[in-house]
Amino acid sequence: MNDHVLAKLLSANEYEMHLQLAIQLAVLWKQGGLVVSPGIQLLNIHARRIGFRDTAIFFYSEKRAFRDLGGFWAAASPMRSDEVLNMIQAMLKAYNWQMAPYSAYNKSTWPVHIDWQTLCSSSATSCPKARMLDEVGMKFIYTPSIARKHLFGTLSYQARRSHLLSKKNTGMNVGDEMQGLAGIQFLPRIDAFVERDRLDVVTVIESTHVHEISRSVTSSTPPRPAEAPMTVFLNAWWGTETWVWPPPGEIQPILLAIHLEHNNIRRDFLKHVEYLNNKGPIGTRDHDTNTFLTENGLTNIFVGCLTMTLAQTAWAKEMKDHVSDITIVDVSEKALSLIPASALNGAKYLSAKVSAPEIADDIVGRYVTALSMLRQYEHSKLVITQRLHVAIPAVAMGTPCLLILSKEMPGGGGFTGLARFSGLQRFMHVANLSDPQSLSNFDFDKPASNPNPEQFAKFRTRLQALIMCHETLSDSALKFGMVPSSWEYPPETSCVSNFEEDVTSIHIATVLTPSWLYDVFPTWLNAMASKNKNESIVLHILTGNLNPTERCIARWVTLQALPKSSVNTIPTEHLTSAGAYIGLAHIPRDTQARLYLGSLLPCIKRVIWLDLDTLVLKNLQSLWSVKSPECGVNARSSDVPHVMKPWIKDVMKPMMKPLPEMHQIVKALAHTFNAGVMVLDLQRIRALRFEDTIVKYWAFELGANDQIAYNFLCNGTYRELHPKWNVYRPSKYTSKNLYAMRKQWSIIHFQGSRKPWIDASVKDAHAEIWNSFYTRFDDAL
């Protein structure tokens, strides 16, 4: 675990201010010179005027104390100044940084507070010189706001503590806090503690003492919901009947690595499907929870445990080959009796269950204890345990781990106990007390590396990507090295005027709904990338009801599949939720958004439209280069004769006022196209005032779907695309010659309601191609 986690635990909501100050002091010590904070304007300034050749000088303003900003307004120093060195040492002393993690924590002074007196506490020197900003040509131009509009919380377990004490159980399992450490890695700071079993009880850290933070919480404790937007990881075991669901107040949950116990919790969870869909993606910790949610129609991803992201210290990476300790954590006497004495002699014995009141009662103390245990796992050559949240963290530390299974496990036995491990056992060595031979075969002297390291790395990357797409955490995830330094929050490529001169990029548009994001989109991208990976593609995704995190994920998986592309995700639910609509059951209403492409993409001249139930099999350059007809639409004719006639005559006509031209309309639309693949000249479509006329009346007022509306626009005058660019699934109307030309197929289209990702019984050439490109969502990350 990198040291920033310990620093966050020690300084809580002041951590970012301390970090800025530490960076300023480090720069002054190593480089010297002038460091200026935001809010300071440099006017007529000169090194001689500042006067820091021989000593450090710090500058202040009467308008605001330095610590409100988090550091100094300005500071100047020669390289390796004694004054700066003494301030660095004073800061380290305030943190007890030379001590082991638990020893560094002092509950009587928590959280660590840094002020001018703290920094000048060294007896070796007095405070550096201090001068007013305006004395040296610097001006204070604004006051940065320190009021935090967004807060960051982590889970606490005081309600659990009260419940256990009522049952005469004095212990607390710091495996809960171990899970919390994984989330704290990604947070910029800790502003609050949120009760897992009472999510309506939130304690915001201001000047609060740790004794007040750790006060008792019971089922009768008055609610204290979050009053400001607050990001909180909810990676946890959920099984206490006193839970409050969904999270009340301003909590913005990250629903990754959750486990639902086999009780009423599961029933309560499913009562709030709309809430869960709005807060997706949902990541499950184990196969058991994943299967339950999937069987009940709730889209989720099996992501494993968030402790898989726990980061090693630099020391451990360098010294791993030199460690010799075997660490044993919560292993039963029966299991110990089967382990060779040579392995037990000299082993370190730990327990994740802490009973000493000074730790068990203390929220921060439990977190620091979990961190100390993690450091021990990291410094071991082997960890032997029967606890999940010992095993996975040990594997994350690169330490071989032996998990011993039995009917009775420390965190709960039987079927429900073992269910917590489902899907995770593959990443560690596993023995079972029902098979003593599995223990006798294990090499305790020279334990092998943990199995399946490549899969473990994929799970870690998957979790990192999903967390990165929570915009409030993207900066801190990068800053603390919790994601690769080459990553960035997937940028939004908005519609900009330079696209008008862009003649090299292929512009593609589609519509994406939440369910198709997870079920279809990765395969759609994989197929397109097979022949277009080196093309410069601008993908415009109309996102029906995707939340900001899901829109980010859509951009992320696109950039993984098409690294030379750029992505524009456009929320469109405001366009498709109003007005009349008469559509087919298998076509989402969100596709109506493509009627507004002209205004949604004002800087785009032309675009290829692809339904998400198509697969691109060839390079798209020749399709992109087709010429446009007067109505601006290139498309393939429908394979069903007079496809529009029943729509107009039987469905729409009863809704309409009597129109004398109805007969002519039906006749004109005898020649119609399928809108699944189109090359659209948006300039011509805008010139024809498509949205103001046809869309406004036929679609918005009368409910015509998007395909009918585009056919009304052309009235039979569209330009025909070669059938290879929109190969329909076989029907009694389709030409057999086309299916003899399979090698020429460029885009296949799964028109109709039977699709292979919905109905596995579909067996035809299209389904065969789909299966060959099939990509799981979690693999696409």
Side-chain angles (χ1 to χ4, degrees):
M1 175 77 62
N2 293 320
D3 285 335
H4 67 92
V5 175
L6 176 59
K8 289 173 193 172
L9 288 168
L10 296 179
S11 57
N13 61 328
E14 293 196 11
Y15 173 71
E16 283 187 300
M17 295 191 293
H18 296 184
L19 178 62
Q20 179 176 323
L21 178 58
I23 292 171
Q24 289 175 320
L25 291 173
V27 169
L28 285 172
W29 165 250
K30 189 172 183 178
Q31 302 292 338
L34 175 66
V35 174
V36 178
S37 294
I40 304 301
Q41 182 181 24
L42 302 182
L43 300 173
N44 183 21
I45 192 166
H46 192 276
R48 185 176 300 171
R49 187 176 182 186
I50 296 175
F52 63 91
R53 181 174 298 177
D54 302 317
T55 186
I57 300 176
F58 295 87
F59 303 94
Y60 66 95
S61 167
E62 293 179 347
K63 295 184 179 181
R64 179 79 73 174
F66 86 90
R67 68 174 297 275
D68 287 346
L69 178 69
F72 305 107
W73 291 120
S77 171
M79 290 176 60
R80 304 190 184 281
S81 157
D82 287 341
E83 294 96 335
V84 173
L85 178 59
N86 285 321
M87 297 180 88
I88 292 173
Q89 291 173 338
M91 219 177 157
L92 292 174
K93 182 178 179 181
Y95 271 87
N96 285 328
W97 207 247
Q98 72 279 13
M99 306 297 290
Y102 190 77
S103 300
Y105 168 58
N106 186 339
K107 67 173 64 178
S108 66
T109 58
W110 183 90
V112 172
H113 175 71
I114 302 292
D115 57 20
W116 189 257
Q117 285 70 34
T118 303
L119 293 176
C120 297
S121 62
S122 172
S123 59
T125 183
S126 60
C127 283
K129 293 181 180 179
R131 299 177 65 183
M132 292 284 290
L133 291 168
D134 53 11
E135 292 180 19
V136 293
M138 289 184 280
K139 181 181 179 182
F140 187 97
I141 55 175
Y142 72 93
T143 303
S145 172
I146 62 169
R148 286 168 175 163
K149 297 180 180 179
H150 195 101
L151 302 180
F152 298 89
T154 189
L155 293 178
S156 55
Y157 305 91
Q158 295 307 89
R160 179 68 172 170
R161 173 69 169 157
S162 298
H163 170 74
L164 292 175
L165 287 174
S166 71
K167 304 294 184 181
K168 308 301 182 184
N169 184 344
T170 60
M172 285 289 284
N173 175 18
V174 296
D176 291 323
E177 282 76 15
M178 187 68 76
Q179 295 176 79
L181 291 176
I184 291 172
Q185 296 178 115
F186 294 90
L187 301 181
R189 60 184 183 274
I190 303 172
D191 293 309
F193 290 102
V194 181
E195 275 298 306
R196 181 195 65 182
D197 300 341
R198 284 286 309 275
L199 290 173
D200 60 343
V201 177
V202 176
T203 303
V204 176
I205 305 166
E206 293 171 334
S207 58
T208 313
H209 192 273
V210 71
H211 294 303
E212 297 174 4
I213 292 288
S214 300
R215 59 191 167 184
S216 175
V217 176
T218 68
S219 58
S220 60
T221 299
R224 299 192 303 271
E227 295 181 353
M230 182 180 295
T231 296
V232 184
F233 281 94
L234 297 189
N235 59 306
W237 172 92
W238 298 96
T240 304
E241 301 288 349
T242 59
W243 83 328
V244 175
W245 193 263
E250 293 286 336
I251 289 178
Q252 297 181 1
I254 299 180
L255 293 167
L256 295 177
I258 62 171
H259 169 78
L260 300 178
E261 192 65 0
H262 283 257
N263 55 22
N264 291 335
I265 294 295
R266 294 192 167 198
R267 179 200 62 200
D268 293 345
F269 200 76
L270 293 177
K271 288 180 180 178
H272 304 279
V273 171
E274 183 177 356
Y275 173 88
L276 294 167
N277 286 336
N278 289 335
K279 300 297 182 182
I282 300 171
T284 47
R285 194 178 77 189
D286 49 85
H287 277 158
D288 182 66
T289 305
N290 167 252
T291 300
F292 166 73
L293 294 181
T294 301
E295 289 177 349
N296 284 275
L298 196 57
T299 300
N300 70 98
I301 315 158
F302 172 48
V303 297
C305 184
L306 200 65
T307 59
M308 300 172 91
T309 67
L310 287 169
Q312 298 180 46
T313 60
W315 180 94
K317 294 178 181 178
E318 296 174 1
M319 303 296 293
K320 203 65 180 175
D321 293 336
H322 304 285
V323 296
S324 58
D325 288 346
I326 292 179
T327 300
I328 299 174
V329 188
D330 293 330
V331 176
S332 69
E333 290 295 330
K334 181 178 180 181
L336 289 174
S337 69
L338 298 175
I339 296 174
S342 58
L344 300 179
N345 293 335
K348 291 186 180 295
Y349 290 81
L350 299 176
S351 177
K353 186 174 182 178
V354 296
S355 298
E358 62 270 21
I359 301 176
D361 287 334
D362 185 346
I363 288 178
V364 181
R366 294 197 301 267
Y367 268 106
V368 177
T369 298
L371 179 55
S372 296
M373 295 182 69
L374 184 67
R375 292 279 172 82
Q376 177 59 37
Y377 308 157
E378 186 178 39
H379 295 174
S380 302
K381 78 168 185 180
L382 172 66
V383 172
I384 306 172
T385 188
Q386 291 189 279
R387 286 193 184 272
L388 176 64
H389 293 113
V390 173
I392 293 293
V395 176
M397 294 299 100
T399 301
C401 178
L402 174 61
L403 174 68
I404 303 176
L405 299 177
S406 65
K407 292 182 179 179
E408 298 300 325
M409 302 291 283
F415 168 75
T416 59
L418 292 176
R420 298 180 298 112
F421 292 83
S422 57
L424 300 173
Q425 299 174 26
R426 73 183 96 165
F427 300 120
M428 61 208 68
H429 305 288
V430 178
N432 201 308
L433 287 187
S434 63
D435 178 18
Q437 190 68 30
S438 61
L439 273 171
S440 62
N441 289 337
F442 188 80
D443 188 343
F444 291 90
D445 183 44
K446 295 180 180 180
S449 299
N450 291 307
N452 301 310
E454 296 84 6
Q455 287 187 38
F456 190 91
K458 285 184 177 181
F459 271 75
R460 185 197 298 261
T461 300
R462 186 178 305 153
L463 282 162
Q464 290 171 326
L466 292 171
I467 293 169
M468 183 80 168
C469 270
H470 288 268
E471 190 171 8
T472 59
L473 299 179
S474 58
D475 178 69
S476 55
L478 277 167
K479 181 164 57 180
F480 300 127
M482 298 316 305
V483 297
S485 58
S486 59
W487 287 14
E488 63 176 336
Y489 183 76
E492 184 76 81
T493 304
S494 58
C495 190
V496 292
S497 58
N498 61 9
F499 280 153
E500 295 181 5
E501 287 74 42
D502 181 8
V503 294
T504 60
S505 296
I506 300 173
H507 288 264
I508 299 172
T510 192
V511 67
L512 182 61
T513 61
S515 61
W516 284 41
L517 167 64
Y518 302 108
D519 298 338
V520 180
F521 191 52
T523 302
W524 188 84
L525 287 171
N526 186 31
M528 186 182 297
S530 67
K531 298 296 183 181
N532 295 274
K533 195 153 194 166
N534 294 320
E535 295 291 345
S536 175
I537 291 175
V538 182
L539 182 59
H540 307 276
I541 306 175
L542 312 185
T543 58
N545 294 303
L546 264 65
N547 62 43
T549 299
E550 290 172 321
R551 292 199 296 272
C552 168
I553 291 170
R555 299 194 298 274
W556 175 267
V557 297
T558 299
L559 294 173
Q560 303 311 300
L562 299 164
K564 292 188 177 181
S565 67
S566 52
V567 195
N568 179 17
T569 49
I570 309 168
T572 56
E573 52 267 25
H574 64 290
L575 295 174
T576 58
S577 59
Y581 176 66
I582 302 173
L584 296 174
H586 68 278
I587 301 176
R589 182 168 181 166
D590 301 280
T591 59
Q592 291 288 90
R594 64 175 160 176
L595 297 174
Y596 302 92
L597 285 173
S599 56
L600 289 171
L601 304 175
C603 57
I604 307 300
K605 292 181 180 179
R606 64 203 314 265
V607 68
I608 296 175
W609 175 269
L610 296 175
D611 278 357
L612 215 61
D613 62 351
T614 62
L615 287 183
V616 176
L617 308 181
K618 302 290 185 182
N619 187 276
L620 291 170
Q621 279 290 353
S622 57
L623 177 63
W624 178 242
S625 62
V626 299
K627 296 181 180 180
S628 300
E630 287 301 316
C631 75
V633 179
N634 293 267
R636 182 189 172 190
S637 294
S638 300
D639 64 339
V640 180
H642 307 291
V643 68
M644 295 298 174
K645 187 172 182 179
W647 284 82
I648 301 299
K649 185 176 181 181
D650 302 328
V651 180
M652 292 187 62
K653 185 176 179 180
M655 298 178 57
M656 298 166 56
K657 301 173 184 178
L659 294 177
E661 64 272 20
M662 175 56 65
H663 176 71
Q664 287 80 3
I665 292 172
V666 173
K667 184 177 180 180
L669 290 179
H671 183 52
T672 57
F673 60 83
N674 177 279
V677 179
M678 299 183 289
V679 182
L680 301 175
D681 187 325
L682 296 182
Q683 287 182 309
R684 295 190 180 186
I685 291 172
R686 293 186 199 103
L688 293 171
R689 300 180 63 239
F690 174 56
E691 294 179 27
D692 295 334
T693 55
I694 293 173
V695 173
K696 185 177 180 180
Y697 177 65
W698 287 97
F700 191 85
E701 292 188 21
L702 299 182
N705 72 24
D706 42 293
Q707 182 163 280
I708 290 177
Y710 272 111
N711 272 283
F712 272 128
L713 170 67
C714 289
N715 200 14
T717 65
Y718 59 92
R719 177 166 286 158
E720 187 74 31
L721 280 179
H722 191 285
K724 70 179 182 179
W725 289 114
N726 190 352
V727 181
Y728 306 135
R729 291 185 61 244
S731 73
K732 64 181 180 180
Y733 301 106
T734 52
S735 168
K736 294 182 179 180
N737 292 333
L738 183 60
Y739 293 90
M741 302 165 51
R742 179 169 169 174
K743 291 184 178 180
Q744 298 181 30
W745 291 1
S746 300
I747 298 177
I748 61 172
H749 187 184
F750 299 89
Q751 88 284 9
S753 59
R754 295 190 69 216
K755 305 179 191 296
W757 55 91
I758 297 174
D759 184 354
S761 68
V762 176
K763 305 291 183 183
D764 56 24
H766 278 53
E768 181 182 327
I769 294 172
W770 165 268
N771 291 331
S772 70
F773 284 107
Y774 175 69
T775 306
R776 289 166 50 93
F777 174 79
D778 45 7
D779 291 331
L781 289 169

